[in-house]
Amino acid sequence: MNKTKILAISGSLRSNSTNTNILKNIGKIAAKDIDFEIFEGLEKFPHFNPGFDEDNIVVSDFRKKIQKSDAVIICTPEYAFGVPGVLKNALDWIVSTGELNDKPVAAISASPLNSGGDKALASLLLTLTALGTVKNEKSALSIPNIKQKLNTAGEITDESLQKSLTLLLENLIVLVHLKKE
Ligand SMILES: Cc1cc2nc3c(=O)[nH]c(=O)nc-3n(C[C@H](O)[C@H](O)[C@H](O)COP(=O)(O)O)c2cc1C
């Protein structure tokens, strides 16, 4: 049987990003029959321009990676109450080509603040709806006070967060299997 392929995208370019570390932790939770890849290169995208129709290797690689994956997980910080520009820019590149259409997704926001980046998460979910993704009420998670839930190596020290991420991943796999039925 083919492995389930999950592409993970972090909205943060920062080294030792808490959001990227959450994705790395999900990669560890993922069972052996899951092929889990964290996308790299969000910073290399050109600015989105709907009039730009030349081939761009970074954009086409992103599109192909999404096309080949069974599901996508996005984990993002909130900047000034919104989704980071680099993440929104990348998502804008796949609006008209539709790689996320009908694709199961999970969306996470993490913040050192109490709010958990909930405004960025709400905005991201709207974008994911516009892109035609498959999700349900268990597909989103906002994580407050993230710095108290990871150790200096970026590993999760909070049991409840570990459980929530496991449930989020399990729900995503259910959505993948439902789609294949
Ligand atoms: C320019 C800027 C704006 C920010 N705005 C918000 C915000 O609106 N809400 C929030 O919860 N955190 C905000 N933060 C704090 C980020 O959540 C925090 O830096 C977080 O650790 C970034 O995620 P990362 O660790 O994955 O890089 C902001 C940080 C920066 C640098």
Side-chain angles (χ1 to χ4, degrees):
M1 210 172 85
N2 282 344
K3 281 189 171 190
T4 300
K5 282 176 88 71
I6 297 182
L7 185 70
I9 304 167
S10 172
S12 174
L13 302 180
R14 205 169 64 81
S15 65
N16 205 25
S17 148
T18 51
N19 284 273
T20 308
N21 284 334
I22 289 165
L23 292 176
K24 288 179 182 165
N25 278 282
I26 296 175
K28 285 187 209 154
I29 297 169
K32 286 200 182 76
D33 57 350
I34 295 176
D35 177 353
F36 192 89
E37 177 186 350
I38 299 180
F39 181 79
E40 284 179 18
L42 220 57
E43 74 282 8
K44 296 185 188 137
F45 280 66
H47 292 148
F48 176 64
N49 176 351
F52 185 87
D53 51 12
E54 284 165 43
D55 269 352
N56 177 283
I57 184 112
V58 180
V59 174
S60 59
D61 177 54
F62 183 60
R63 287 173 172 158
K64 270 184 219 149
K65 282 198 158 140
I66 295 180
Q67 227 165 27
K68 286 186 189 156
S69 63
D70 297 297
V72 170
I73 297 184
I74 300 175
C75 187
T76 186
E78 177 177 276
Y79 290 154
F81 290 179
V83 173
V86 282
L87 175 59
K88 183 62 166 58
N89 185 51
L91 294 176
D92 285 344
W93 276 108
I94 52 170
V95 173
S96 54
T97 45
E99 285 77 10
L100 269 185
N101 192 41
D102 223 15
K103 189 81 64 186
V105 291
I108 306 166
S109 64
S111 167
L113 307 183
N114 259 328
S115 58
D118 56 352
K119 290 171 267 325
L121 182 62
S123 173
L124 175 62
L125 288 169
L126 279 176
T127 301
L128 292 174
T129 298
L131 288 166
T133 60
V134 176
K135 52 186 167 58
N136 61 19
E137 71 288 349
K138 295 179 192 163
S139 302
L141 179 68
S142 148
I143 309 171
N145 308 313
I146 186 59
K147 294 212 167 134
Q148 290 144 43
K149 297 173 182 172
L150 299 174
N151 63 20
T152 48
E155 295 154 344
I156 295 170
T157 51
D158 183 282
E159 221 173 280
S160 144
L161 174 58
Q162 180 82 6
K163 212 176 200 173
S164 300
L165 293 175
T166 306
L167 290 175
L168 189 91
L169 182 62
E170 282 172 3
N171 180 64
L172 187 62
I173 300 300
V174 168
L175 292 179
V176 169
H177 288 157
L178 282 175
K179 212 195 127 189
K180 284 184 176 168
E181 271 173 14

